[in-house]
Amino acid sequence: MKNLDEDLKNAFDQKLLKENIETLIAGVQQNLDERSKELRELLEIFEGSHTRLEDLESFSLRNLFVNILGNEKQQFDRERQNCLMYALRIKEIKERIESKKFEINVLKEKLITLSGVEEAYERLLRDKKSLLKFRNKELSKVIISVEMKIRKLASQQREIKEAIATGNKT
């Protein structure tokens, strides 16, 4: 009975871990989608700024004074700085996207290792129920219900402790 209880506890923990990983993958995927959209928008802005910079470079000095009321060097420098700023932001977003893709791959690999967890948990739960029913039917229902609540609370408590530890590290 003790081995069955321990196996059941481990299977329940793995089942919760799998659910948490699935939720985490969904969140990271959403973040990845947002970063990809941000990258597309930034690339469009960068292209516009780059085009304006090329236009400024191609203007003759006389056309520049005619088209722009102001200092052409300042305008040129401003566009160059904008292009540089956009290029740096694009690089940063691309790095974030690669990081999110890597994170998703790692989580999916972990998820693969937990592929049969639900079935194992249900099988162990059925074994325990049948063992308890064999001994005392009415009491078995109460015991199983209480044990499930205890497992859930213990798992939540462990997750909270892990979150606190991670928060303290940060």
Side-chain angles (χ1 to χ4, degrees):
M1 184 82 148
K2 284 198 178 231
N3 285 340
L4 181 61
D5 288 337
E6 187 65 30
D7 291 344
L8 195 57
K9 178 188 172 296
N10 291 337
F12 184 77
D13 289 344
Q14 288 181 339
K15 181 180 175 232
L16 286 179
L17 177 63
K18 182 179 179 187
E19 291 170 0
N20 288 343
I21 289 174
E22 288 170 343
T23 303
L24 190 57
I25 286 174
V28 172
Q29 184 63 49
Q30 181 181 359
N31 195 308
L32 177 63
D33 294 342
E34 290 171 3
R35 292 292 163 256
S36 296
K37 180 182 176 190
E38 185 180 353
L39 178 62
R40 285 189 302 274
E41 292 170 354
L42 197 56
L43 282 170
E44 288 176 13
I45 294 170
F46 176 75
E47 287 300 319
S49 180
H50 188 58
T51 303
R52 284 190 302 276
L53 184 61
E54 288 175 345
D55 289 346
L56 285 173
E57 287 175 339
S58 68
F59 279 145
S60 68
L61 188 58
R62 183 174 176 184
N63 286 338
L64 237 129
F65 282 115
V66 171
N67 290 320
I68 301 172
L69 297 175
N71 187 340
E72 75 279 352
K73 177 142 177 56
Q74 288 176 347
Q75 181 72 17
F76 184 74
D77 288 343
R78 192 175 320 122
E79 285 301 327
R80 186 181 298 158
Q81 287 174 356
N82 284 342
C83 279
L84 180 61
M85 179 186 67
Y86 293 137
L88 291 174
R89 288 220 34 228
I90 287 169
K91 181 182 177 194
E92 175 192 353
I93 291 172
K94 284 182 178 179
E95 289 173 356
R96 284 184 183 174
I97 287 173
E98 289 304 313
S99 170
K100 296 300 175 191
K101 286 179 181 177
F102 177 76
E103 188 176 350
I104 286 173
N105 289 336
V106 168
L107 289 171
K108 283 183 178 179
E109 287 176 13
K110 180 67 176 173
L111 199 58
I112 289 171
T113 64
L114 299 170
S115 62
V117 170
E118 287 97 354
E119 296 83 14
Y121 175 72
E122 293 300 323
R123 182 183 43 80
L124 288 169
L125 195 57
R126 277 194 310 273
D127 291 350
K128 179 146 186 170
K129 284 179 182 179
S130 65
L131 185 62
L132 286 173
K133 284 181 182 178
F134 181 71
R135 291 186 179 169
N136 186 344
K137 282 186 176 184
E138 293 304 316
L139 187 58
S140 69
K141 292 179 184 177
V142 173
I143 291 172
I144 290 171
S145 173
V146 169
E147 282 184 345
M148 288 180 76
K149 289 177 185 175
I150 290 172
R151 275 190 215 97
K152 187 172 184 176
L153 291 173
S155 181
Q156 288 174 347
Q157 185 180 22
R158 187 177 54 256
E159 287 179 11
I160 290 171
K161 286 179 182 178
E162 289 173 358
I164 290 172
T166 303
N168 287 338
K169 286 180 184 178
T170 329

